[in-house]
Amino acid sequence: MPEKDELTKDSSISRRQFIKNTGIVVGGTAIGSSALLAACKGDTTTETATNTVKVTTTVAKFVCPYDSIEFDTFAALQSHVDSAHEAGDPVTKYLCPYDNQEFSSLADLKAHLEAQHLEAIAPIEGMVTLKVNGKDYPIVVDPNWSLGFVLREKLGLTGTKIGCDRGECGSCTVHMDGTPVYACMVLACEAEGHEVLTIEGLANGAEMHPVQKLFLERSTFQCGYCTPGNIMTTVALYKKTPKPTRAQAREALSGNLCFCIDYTRIIDTIVAGGS
Ligand code: FES
Ligand code: FES
């Protein structure tokens, strides 16, 4: 790739570096961690002098205090509360399904489970906690699921696009610990313990990120499929090189393919938006 070889070595992130970065991440972490509830116990019956007492040790369900939806595991309840309810929503009480004690937070309930019902807590195979856009998502993943697949199909974060699904096009670009990587080339289980940022995490509420505004104002897209990846790459570039040259912009975008507009416009936008 003669063009890339001509480019400055210290500027931004080339496609080769992209894949290399991904390789580093892939080499990193291990599966599994969160200690969570496993199978329920059975019922037992105790005979007394006066009557028959049925002692039920079967774990009922973890109940969401906001909407009374029931879940089989603490992790499922936690995931539901994180995604469906605001932190500031008035909480009633979280109930321990083993002994009916009440707790005012999920953290307190979890601590109680770990302290008092350890025998009922067992790791669930494939359970990981992914930190995406600052939020924890406990989720059971298959070993071969990519981060891109999980983001889109399991967490509903469809801003990350899958184009080639083999590390070629860059449309799936997200940040992992601040470094842009191809989400299709990172296994979901390997993303545990890392901070993942997707295009959804850039905006501040209804306020778009400056790079999102830049691409919009300069109409730097046509179908838009590659645009989230381009924006994530550009955000990373500006962090490292606030005022990139054309060569630096081209090198940074060398891992992001576009099938619609000519690359000159994308590079023009990136150079114009630097500060
Ligand atoms: S979908 Fe990941 S690089 Fe193309
Ligand atoms: S705008 Fe369509 S693929 Fe880039």
Side-chain angles (χ1 to χ4, degrees), residues 171 220-227 230 257-261 263 266:
S171 60
T220 313
F221 53 86
Q222 190 163 319
C223 78
Y225 201 79
C226 68
T227 309
N230 290 342
L257 305 183
C258 173
F259 304 98
C260 300
I261 58 175
Y263 290 96
I266 301 174

Side-chain angles (χ1 to χ4, degrees), residues 96 99 101 103 110-121:
C96 172
D99 56 21
Q101 282 194 59
F103 299 90
K110 187 174 183 182
H112 168 75
L113 291 170
E114 288 172 348
Q116 301 295 323
H117 307 286
L118 200 55
E119 78 287 352
I121 300 176

